[in-house]
Amino acid sequence: MSAPGSLEALIEALRVLPGVGPRSAQRMAYHLLQRNQAGARRLADSLAHALDVLRHCERCNSFSEQDVCGRCANPGRDARLLCVVEMPADLAVLEQSQSFNGLYYVLMGRLSPLDGIGPRELKLERLVARAMDGVVEEVIVATNFTNEGEATAHLVSELMHARGLRVSRLSRGVPVGGELEHTDAGTIAQALIERRPL
Amino acid sequence: MSAPGSLEALIEALRVLPGVGPRSAQRMAYHLLQRNQAGARRLADSLAHALDVLRHCERCNSFSEQDVCGRCANPGRDARLLCVVEMPADLAVLEQSQSFNGLYYVLMGRLSPLDGIGPRELKLERLVARAMDGVVEEVIVATNFTNEGEATAHLVSELMHARGLRVSRLSRGVPVGGELEHTDAGTIAQALIERRPL
């Protein structure tokens, strides 16, 4: 009521960020406007730019500025191995382990019935089409070892088996209930080596 | 290294938000791009718009879309009373108490030597100039009752006394160590009524 409309609008807009309520949105708005206008402008610009140029790679479904991202287009990678992860952060952890030279498919989520995310919302038919390219020989399921990640792994494995593809899962080197993102590269490497057929 | 440049730039830019580290910036970026592109666009637009149109009111120093904000330009308010607060959120709480009809001056901060914020950074000479307009008879200091807020109140009071102005402070109805922003309107009203000379 007392704040200018453009300030109210900014505070409301900040609430789109995960975990940000009215109070912390207000604090963020004051901070941006009062203490760091240059940083705020950079944020507005980079957000608008990212929205403009980022899309999903046609092959791996991760964020990319090209139709096909550099990794998927790299002929040096082993296209017979397709590793399925939940999020780009998981892909980054696997890359950091330097123990995988195949390709990826990023689900951009996981099965989560409580949040209304089922097979359709995950667009699993895109993953099936990708895996059926005639080159992929083995699908390595590297979803998290949480309940939702395990359920996702189970469904992906069923879909792949039904189409005659070999499926494996990262070994249980990753702590049960833990998330890939928080696992050290050595454990990740071990889990890749010990992957077991599903 | 593996993420597109525009995504890396967005993640880096999000770290301008208070309390946001690399991990949570990454999570925010994925959330915005994957789950709420409309909200993300609204955030970019409203942030850019706020940066474009918001400035500091020449009289109260709070955020305003005009040179002089609507409150300061309102002839129905008692220009003999000038209430000094730290942040716009404090002003909003005082307004909600519906027990003050004077004008405000918003410091946009507080003395905080550890953060390098001294009298010069707070631009206290602007407050002095504002209070010396020949109309203001009493300056009500409504900074927080924290150590930094009390130190600020002390300095403001000295500056005002040196120029022959009457100074008062919100009464201790506000819990010691507490912040205005988290105080209920009734307590705020009581503290206004019981304000004591400094």
Side-chain angles (χ1 to χ4, degrees), chain A residues 1-2 4-7 9-10 13-14 16-18 20 23 26-28 30-37 39-44 46-54 56 63-65 71 87-89 91-92 95-96 108-109 117 181-182, chain B residues 1-2 4-7 9-10 13-14 16-18 20 23 26-28 30-37 39-44 46-54 56 63-65 71 87-89 91-92 95-96 108-109 117 181-182:
Chain A
M1 53 172 201
S2 65
S6 52
L7 179 58
L10 171 58
L14 281 164
V16 76
L17 297 169
V20 172
R23 186 86 59 184
Q26 194 182 57
R27 200 172 304 124
M28 285 176 166
Y30 294 153
H31 177 85
L32 291 172
L33 293 166
Q34 185 66 17
R35 302 256 173 254
N36 199 339
Q37 293 226 354
R41 181 67 71 181
R42 213 159 49 233
L43 173 56
S46 62
L47 185 50
H49 180 65
L51 288 165
D52 286 337
V53 304
L54 286 179
H56 292 285
F63 296 116
S64 170
E65 293 171 6
R71 188 178 303 103
M87 295 296 288
L91 185 160
E95 285 295 282
Q96 280 157 28
M108 290 290 180
I117 300 178
E181 208 184 333
H182 303 109
Chain B
M1 53 172 196
S2 66
S6 52
L7 179 58
L10 171 58
L14 280 164
V16 76
L17 296 170
V20 172
R23 186 85 59 184
Q26 195 182 56
R27 199 172 306 124
M28 285 177 166
Y30 293 154
H31 176 84
L32 291 172
L33 293 167
Q34 185 65 15
R35 302 256 172 254
N36 199 340
Q37 292 224 355
R41 182 68 69 180
R42 213 160 49 234
L43 173 55
S46 62
L47 184 50
H49 181 65
L51 288 165
D52 285 338
V53 304
L54 286 178
H56 292 286
F63 295 117
S64 169
E65 293 172 4
R71 189 178 302 102
M87 295 296 289
L91 185 158
E95 285 294 283
Q96 280 156 29
M108 291 290 179
I117 299 178
E181 209 184 332
H182 303 110

Side-chain angles (χ1 to χ4, degrees), chain A residues 39-175:
Chain A
R41 181 67 71 181
R42 213 159 49 233
L43 173 56
D45 291 347
S46 62
L47 185 50
H49 180 65
L51 288 165
D52 286 337
V53 304
L54 286 179
R55 69 199 89 168
H56 292 285
C57 167
E58 288 173 3
R59 303 206 80 207
C60 74
N61 195 39
S62 189
F63 296 116
S64 170
E65 293 171 6
Q66 295 89 35
D67 291 337
V68 174
C69 75
R71 188 178 303 103
C72 287
N74 179 357
R77 305 208 52 135
D78 186 348
R80 294 168 299 177
L81 295 177
L82 184 68
C83 183
V84 178
V85 296
E86 296 180 15
M87 295 296 288
D90 304 322
L91 185 160
V93 171
L94 283 158
E95 285 295 282
Q96 280 157 28
S97 82
Q98 301 189 325
S99 49
F100 182 67
N101 192 38
L103 295 174
Y104 294 92
Y105 185 88
V106 183
L107 293 170
M108 290 290 180
R110 63 209 65 88
L111 288 182
S112 183
L114 292 178
D115 300 323
I117 300 178
R120 187 177 317 186
E121 285 69 27
L122 271 189
K123 302 202 183 84
L124 287 182
E125 71 281 1
R126 282 199 58 191
L127 165 59
V128 169
R130 170 68 187 84
M132 295 293 290
D133 69 347
V135 179
V136 172
E137 293 176 4
E138 178 181 352
V139 173
I140 304 173
V141 183
T143 55
N144 287 317
F145 285 84
T146 56
N147 286 342
E148 293 178 343
E150 292 279 24
T152 308
H154 185 73
L155 179 56
V156 168
S157 143
E158 280 189 342
L159 290 170
M160 296 303 150
H161 278 147
R163 283 153 185 90
L165 283 163
R166 192 141 46 94
V167 187
S168 61
R169 178 103 169 92
L170 288 196
S171 86
R172 290 282 185 147
V174 180

Side-chain angles (χ1 to χ4, degrees), chain B residues 88-156:
Chain B
D90 304 323
L91 185 158
V93 171
L94 282 158
E95 285 294 283
Q96 280 156 29
S97 81
Q98 300 189 326
S99 50
F100 182 67
N101 192 38
L103 295 174
Y104 294 92
Y105 185 88
V106 183
L107 294 169
M108 291 290 179
R110 63 209 66 88
L111 290 182
S112 182
L114 291 179
D115 300 323
I117 299 178
R120 187 178 317 185
E121 286 70 27
L122 272 187
K123 302 201 184 84
L124 287 182
E125 71 281 2
R126 282 199 57 192
L127 165 59
V128 169
R130 169 69 187 83
M132 294 294 288
D133 69 348
V135 179
V136 171
E137 293 178 2
E138 178 180 353
V139 174
I140 303 172
V141 183
T143 54
N144 287 317
F145 284 84
T146 56
N147 286 342
E148 293 178 343
E150 293 279 25
T152 308
H154 185 75
L155 179 56
V156 168

